[in-house]
Amino acid sequence: KRRAERVDGAERRNKLPSPASSLPTDPALYSGPFPFYRRPSELGCFSLDAQRQYHGDAQALRYYSPPPTNDQGPNFDLRDGYPDRYQPRDEEVQERLDHLLRWLLDHRGKLEGGPGWLAGAIVTWRGHLTKLLTTPYEQQEGWQLAASRFQGTLYLSEVETPAARAQRLARPPLLRELMYMGYKFEQYMCADKPGSSPDPSGEVNTNVAFCSVLRSRLGSHRLLFSGEVDCTDPRAASTQPPACYVELKTSKEMHRPGHWRSFYRHKLLKWWAQSFLLGVPNVVAGFRNPEGFVCSLKTFPTMEMFEYVRNDRDGWNPSVCMNFCAAFLSFAQNTVVQDDPRLVHLFSWEPGSPVTVSKHRDAPYAFLPMWYVEAVTR
Ligand code: 0WD
Ligand code: CA
């Protein structure tokens, strides 16, 4: 009996600290100094065509081609072509990490940092990291992230929450048109070739995408992620990606100081998080009037966005965003210890609550496809 107790005690002492069961998201808990974030470097890219088929090249990359600035300014009708020249992507198809895994399968043997690098990395979409960055300030929409460890690497893939799915299926017609207008703006601002002009007479097909694949590091967390890039600026000071990339956005025209304040507090936070992660230096906004016309453009350098809220007590702080993201990645690394592509830890968050975890096996949460697991295992 005494021996059994001793063994128990020894086991207890040798046991690794059990991971926390939840993670708080209050901004006040993450207001330390800005953590280390390695300047993202592009490892490669891929394209998705009009049929949403993968190509291991830059064929879908477009070129920034703003209207000449000598006249009165733009007059883009964002509703033109809706709905007859609109081919929206089928949102019922859950692609999860598939396209990024296809790229990784083709390039994993030649990654810089050597063969061990990937085993210590986190693989995900940039959009998932954006959601983590904005979590301490988000008051509307929760999220779910599925996590699996496989050959050391931690893979993170978003799961559509039941609320988000319900909202998507009940999306009001005006909101559908507003989504189209964002893509139409891209068509007015981008050309297919470096020297040419935009052609707004064609179709808007949201299956088409150009994705950059990058490497970075947040604190001790190695990152390999991919993000969709709107266009490259052939006249940018640096021709080296991601420094030549431009993000395009539309937003409502603003007329009162209160409108601008609210824009800085909410929209600019999301714009900053998305472009900062990938290293996109400029976001070009088109402001649309109530009739759906863009009559003014404004460039927001990503590194200057924080200045608009620096002295605002209800503003956001980049350090809080990055510290929370680093804390979540540590939380996930410490929670997902078993190496098993069929095992999923589901991290769930709703505004006003901490991040919680649940454990699942196989369908519907397992997301690493068999073609990937088998190809990497052999
Ligand atoms: O599996 C999933 N749950 C998700 C997959 C969620 C979000 C995106 N994706 C896919 C998209 O289909 C796309 O191929 O990942 C790729 C984009 O990844 P990302 O760059 O990490 O995503 P994000 O930064 O959220 O969005 C970048 C752009 C958007 O631009 P705006 O200006 O609206 O932020 O990607 C487009 C959109 O143009 N985009 C999408 N396009 C089609 N379907 C989607 C989507 N679900 N989400 C974003
Ligand atoms: Ca965009």
Side-chain angles (χ1 to χ4, degrees), residues 14-52:
N14 289 336
K15 220 161 144 188
L16 295 164
S18 53
S21 61
S22 73
L23 180 73
T25 64
D26 320 53
L29 298 173
Y30 299 98
S31 64
F34 195 86
F36 176 81
Y37 186 65
R38 182 194 199 266
R39 187 161 50 87
S41 51
E42 186 173 79
L43 298 174
C45 65
F46 58 87
S47 295
L48 303 174
D49 66 19
Q51 286 74 43
R52 203 66 179 174

Side-chain angles (χ1 to χ4, degrees), residues 186 230 247-249:
E186 296 176 6
D230 289 333
E247 172 65 35
L248 302 171
K249 296 287 187 197

Side-chain angles (χ1 to χ4, degrees), residues 161 245 337:
T161 63
Y245 292 153
V337 286

Side-chain angles (χ1 to χ4, degrees), residues 58-123:
Q59 62 177 256
L61 177 60
R62 290 181 296 177
Y63 298 84
Y64 182 60
S65 177
T69 44
N70 46 13
D71 55 12
Q72 309 89 326
N75 192 34
F76 301 150
D77 181 1
L78 299 183
R79 300 168 68 196
D80 178 55
Y82 186 81
D84 36 291
R85 282 181 284 132
Y86 185 29
Q87 300 285 350
R89 186 182 79 90
D90 180 359
E91 291 177 276
E92 274 301 295
V93 181
Q94 302 286 329
E95 299 175 325
R96 312 206 258 201
L97 298 185
D98 290 9
H99 300 304
L100 173 54
L101 297 178
R102 168 74 195 274
W103 182 92
L104 200 47
L105 206 48
D106 293 345
H107 296 87
R108 75 201 148 106
K110 13 181 174 153
L111 289 179
E112 53 182 84
W117 189 86
L118 185 59
I122 295 168
V123 171

